[in-house]
Amino acid sequence: MSLPVITEARRIDSGRLETRVLSHGPEDGVPVVFVHGNLSAATWFEETMMRLPDGFRAIAPDLRAYGEADPEAKVDATRGLKDLSDDLAALLAALDIEAAHFVGHSLGGAVLWQLLADHSGRVLSLTQVCPGSPFGFGGCLPDGGAAYPDGAGTGASAVNPEFAKMLASGDRGGETPFHTRNILNAFVWKPPFVPERMEDILDAALAQHTDEQDYPGDVKPSDNWPTVAAGDWGPINGMAPHRIDDPLGFTKGPTPPICWIRGSDDAIVADNSGFDLGALGAAGAVPGWPGAEVFPPQPMIAQTERALSAYEAAGGTVQRHVIEDCGHSPYLEKPGAFDTAFHAFLTNI
């Protein structure tokens, strides 16, 4: 499937990954790289890219395992999200860009924690939009450790199989709660909002790679609740807490400025996320939950705040913005409020 484009699109081979890269703005502009989240692709950022202030050049790749990236390139989840952060560094090298400002949404924000830890010289600033916790997603204790050492109840083992089936089918309908269209409208932005380019955004979501090693990824049997654990392949397995070897690694080197923007009513990255088996178990939605002492709801926002406080203690500066009446996608839902915070940050560094 060829995804719709309202910016400039070209294919770039960085030596690590051949993928579609969107761009907008003057060739000699200061580079701003947009990193999309799960169930997404570079398409989601196009209007935001086109609204950048004068003098900036927007660049947005389809990540490995998403959109029009090479379908043979898989994410080795045993490395956490390092495949994706290494891809971004390689893309900059291929474009002859020494360093750039980065914007990450959701999973893309989690990738940027890793990028800053491993490739800090490439980073001028980070704008983190509803980013995943630096400690991983789901099955994570308040102090940041994994609830189970094998990643049970995280990664692909926490993905609803009916939703995964619907996504892989490419069905654009909305007959069941598990249709991709309904998941987007119920969780990825706050109802009753629907993006003007809904069909293009749905195209980009349905372009997510759904090979066995992509989404949701493989699973392993486990003696721990819920009897399956995150496997070794795919970006969702790469977010499992036991795969994140140094969650605070980004606080231990150079400290470019960070801007954290989130929606007040985010249902995905939250202290009681509807996609965390700990929260679902506590609500009685998943049987056999072993209790809060073993598998608590992950305090995602509190963990990110703690990590950013450590970043400030190391000498970094952090801006925090909460956009009211807004869900998981502020740049789509509340573009005016988002741009006010983002542009002021970007132009005053």
Side-chain angles (χ1 to χ4, degrees):
M1 175 172 62
S2 181
L3 292 174
V5 176
I6 59 174
T7 56
E8 176 187 348
R10 54 179 168 156
R11 300 204 67 81
I12 294 177
D13 188 342
S14 70
R16 279 188 52 84
L17 176 69
E18 194 265 342
T19 191
R20 180 186 72 144
V21 179
L22 305 184
S23 59
H24 182 79
E27 289 281 353
D28 62 350
V30 178
V32 182
V33 179
F34 292 81
V35 186
H36 66 79
N38 190 51
L39 202 64
S40 182
T43 302
W44 284 39
F45 277 123
E46 286 192 282
E47 287 88 349
T48 310
M49 294 164 64
M50 295 171 71
R51 298 193 306 265
L52 276 181
D54 292 344
F56 290 93
R57 168 81 169 171
I59 300 165
D62 288 342
L63 295 177
R64 182 182 297 243
Y66 295 90
E68 293 183 32
D70 175 9
E72 298 303 316
K74 308 301 182 183
V75 174
D76 178 358
T78 66
R79 304 184 69 227
L81 296 174
K82 290 184 179 181
D83 271 355
L84 300 176
S85 67
D86 288 349
D87 287 346
L88 292 175
L91 175 63
L92 260 61
L95 295 174
D96 198 26
I97 295 172
E98 181 177 348
H101 301 281
F102 284 86
V103 181
H105 176 217
S106 195
L107 176 142
V111 173
L112 293 188
W113 301 131
Q114 191 66 57
L115 180 77
L116 183 53
D118 292 345
H119 303 283
S120 59
R122 294 286 189 186
V123 180
L124 298 176
S125 75
L126 295 185
T127 297
Q128 295 283 53
V129 188
C130 304
S133 164
F135 296 91
F137 192 96
C140 189
L141 302 174
D143 68 1
Y148 294 121
D150 65 351
T154 71
S157 72
V159 173
N160 185 292
E162 284 300 314
F163 169 65
K165 179 181 176 181
M166 287 293 181
L167 179 67
S169 76
D171 194 320
R172 304 178 66 86
E175 293 77 21
T176 79
F178 302 111
H179 271 96
T180 306
R181 182 187 300 273
N182 288 339
I183 293 294
L184 295 175
N185 284 332
F187 298 104
V188 180
W189 36 78
K190 183 180 178 180
F193 173 80
V194 177
E196 289 186 12
R197 290 180 68 202
M198 180 62 193
E199 298 311 307
D200 291 351
I201 282 176
L202 181 59
D203 282 343
L206 292 171
Q208 181 152 334
H209 303 185
T210 53
D211 181 271
E212 183 181 4
Q213 294 182 324
D214 291 316
Y215 185 88
D218 59 323
V219 299
K220 297 180 178 183
S222 175
D223 292 333
N224 300 310
W225 180 81
T227 74
V228 285
D232 295 337
W233 294 98
I236 302 305
N237 283 332
M239 293 186 72
H242 73 306
R243 299 298 195 193
I244 311 298
D245 59 7
D246 188 7
L248 296 181
F250 76 96
T251 71
K252 299 174 182 178
T255 53
I258 293 177
C259 181
W260 179 22
I261 304 175
R262 62 184 180 90
S264 62
D265 303 313
D266 188 346
I268 296 177
V269 176
D271 284 346
N272 201 43
S273 172
F275 292 81
D276 170 19
L277 288 192
L280 292 172
V286 181
W289 180 58
E293 290 187 4
V294 176
F295 203 112
Q298 181 184 357
M300 300 179 187
I301 300 301
Q303 286 180 346
T304 298
E305 176 58 52
R306 180 160 62 88
L308 289 175
S309 294
Y311 192 75
E312 290 174 312
T317 60
V318 178
Q319 292 186 18
R320 297 164 174 82
H321 300 275
V322 179
I323 298 179
E324 296 299 324
D325 192 31
C326 182
H328 187 59
S329 303
Y331 59 98
L332 293 175
E333 299 172 63
K334 303 285 185 177
F338 176 83
D339 286 354
T340 295
F342 173 44
H343 293 180
F345 172 72
L346 198 61
T347 56
N348 285 288
I349 295 172

